[in-house]
Amino acid sequence: MSELSVNHLLGIKYLKEEDIQLIFETADHFKEVINRSIKKVPSLRDITIANIFFESSTRTKLSFELAEKRLSADVINFSAGQSSVKKGETLIDTVNNILSMKVDMVVIRHPNPGAGIFLSKNVNASIINAGDGAHEHPTQALLDSFSIRERLGSVAGKKVVIVGDILHSRVALSNIFALQLQGAEVKVCGPRTLIPKYIESLGVGVETNLRKALNWCDVANMLRIQKERMDLSYFPSTREYTQQYGLNSAILKSLDKEIVVMHPGPINRGVEITSDVADSGQSIILDQVENGVAIRMAVIYLLASKIKQ
Ligand code: CP
């Protein structure tokens, strides 16, 4: 396979296993490029990309911008808080105004699930979903799997547990699709109130006991409690959540084997993960961030190749 089967990256749900392998092979090349003294390639000198963020972001926004600049694309950045969205402009009007400045690709983060899908049907540009509400965060799942492949040699056959706030997590859903597509086995672990009822219909196991889940897995992906998406109380207190579902070095050391620890960030140190675990040799949290640039370069490069045809 030499090109992606899709014209937009809206979710892992729309990808084939071959798409993921093509993205990984392309990212392998770009990872080598960004570790050279000259970190830039001229591939996308004729492409203009708009990063439009309606929600706060550190990793994803900076990583996309760096990926675009490493590929020599022209880049414009838009933050809703400082824009005419505040004056009542709609999403379509905002994006069409940006596109009239001859923009080829839009990277969008939005609090509403389906925002990227909506845009792809209504504007003439290639769309990359950088996180849409609690729906999908496809580039996060790609960089997560790429990091597992880098640490463990492959994703196929690995056992991955995703721990914490599954209900409000776009990272969980995208990871479930990506891991299963590559032949990994997935479980989720957390309080029942934070696990959606439909999850088992996706072929995902459910475990409410953290120790059992950790003893089962090769990789634990620890998620943040997304208080900004919660209008109810889902557990008695943060302290009790940490006692039952927080990962600390005592639990980690008591396991039968050495597992890999991941976190998409931002971390709430001392809540879902202690500092000594987050900063330990078993943690690949900063590798995930580093790999995010190579993965996003690969996705942008492959989608831009389809625009140029
Ligand atoms: N992992 C992630 O999406 O982080 P940001 O919200 O900082 O982009």
Side-chain angles (χ1 to χ4, degrees):
M1 193 169 177
S2 60
E3 66 168 26
L4 293 176
S5 67
V6 291
N7 294 324
H8 311 275
L9 180 60
L10 303 172
I12 302 290
K13 192 168 53 184
Y14 307 105
L15 296 184
K16 299 184 162 100
E17 209 263 331
E18 294 82 9
D19 290 313
I20 296 185
Q21 293 316 323
L22 177 61
I23 292 167
F24 284 3
E25 283 156 25
T26 313
D28 283 336
H29 166 69
F30 285 130
K31 181 148 185 185
E32 192 242 303
V33 167
I34 59 181
N35 280 298
R36 290 183 198 155
S37 53
I38 296 170
K39 299 175 170 51
K40 230 170 146 139
V41 286
S43 316
L44 299 193
R45 274 192 305 210
D46 51 347
I47 293 283
T48 304
I49 305 175
N51 301 315
I52 66 172
F53 278 65
F54 290 82
E55 253 189 7
S56 54
S57 168
T58 299
R59 278 147 292 274
T60 312
K61 192 162 185 280
L62 293 177
S63 179
F64 266 112
E65 187 173 345
L66 200 54
E68 291 150 5
K69 288 179 173 169
R70 297 275 193 249
L71 290 165
S72 303
D74 287 324
V75 179
I76 53 173
N77 289 307
F78 165 97
S79 294
Q82 287 125 35
S83 73
S84 291
V85 167
K86 291 249 169 211
K87 300 172 196 163
E89 195 162 52
T90 65
L91 177 59
I92 288 195
D93 280 341
T94 301
V95 175
N96 273 329
N97 273 272
I98 293 170
L99 294 183
S100 67
M101 299 176 209
K102 308 287 177 236
V103 166
D104 306 291
M105 193 179 284
V106 174
V107 176
I108 179 168
R109 170 168 287 192
H110 200 281
N112 293 347
I117 298 168
F118 175 73
L119 270 195
S120 71
K121 290 182 178 158
N122 289 285
V123 302
N124 185 23
S126 183
I127 309 295
I128 300 179
N129 175 9
D132 59 335
H135 178 226
E136 281 225 37
H137 191 351
T139 55
Q140 179 69 47
L142 289 168
L143 73 88
D144 289 342
S145 285
F146 187 79
S147 302
I148 294 172
R149 168 182 176 264
E150 185 175 73
R151 178 58 75 105
L152 297 179
S154 71
V155 176
K158 300 296 179 297
K159 293 176 175 170
V160 181
V161 65
I162 306 172
V163 181
D165 183 2
I166 314 298
L167 187 65
H168 300 98
S169 175
R170 53 194 174 210
V171 174
L173 196 57
S174 286
N175 260 277
I176 289 167
F177 290 141
L179 291 164
Q180 288 182 335
L181 215 47
Q182 294 167 88
E185 218 179 314
V186 188
K187 279 190 183 179
V188 295
C189 176
R192 280 268 171 206
T193 48
L194 288 176
I195 296 177
K197 291 198 172 36
Y198 65 80
I199 208 85
E200 278 159 306
S201 70
L202 300 178
V204 173
V206 174
E207 177 55 76
T208 52
N209 182 295
L210 179 64
R211 185 176 293 279
K212 280 191 191 165
L214 295 175
N215 265 321
W216 170 83
C217 75
D218 302 302
V219 178
N221 195 351
M222 307 303 296
L223 301 183
R224 180 176 64 89
I225 296 295
Q226 302 197 40
K227 289 208 169 130
E228 74 277 19
R229 297 193 205 285
M230 292 184 184
D231 44 14
L232 298 165
S233 284
Y234 290 84
F235 44 85
S237 69
T238 303
R239 194 164 148 265
E240 283 189 52
Y241 178 83
T242 300
Q243 276 174 354
Q244 283 198 52
Y245 294 103
L247 183 56
N248 58 49
S249 55
I251 303 176
L252 213 49
K253 281 184 194 138
S254 72
L255 302 178
D256 305 335
K257 57 184 169 184
E258 191 166 291
I259 63 165
V260 175
V261 177
M262 306 177 71
H263 194 305
I267 296 174
N268 282 325
R269 286 177 184 263
V271 179
E272 69 273 6
I273 191 167
T274 55
S275 278
D276 54 357
V277 173
D279 303 332
S280 73
Q282 281 174 255
S283 157
I284 58 167
I285 294 172
L286 290 180
D287 300 324
Q288 291 171 256
V289 179
E290 180 185 342
N291 288 332
V293 178
I295 282 289
R296 289 177 176 118
M297 284 175 82
V299 167
I300 293 164
Y301 175 83
L302 291 165
L303 288 176
S305 317
K306 300 197 83 173
I307 297 173
K308 287 183 190 175
Q309 282 169 9

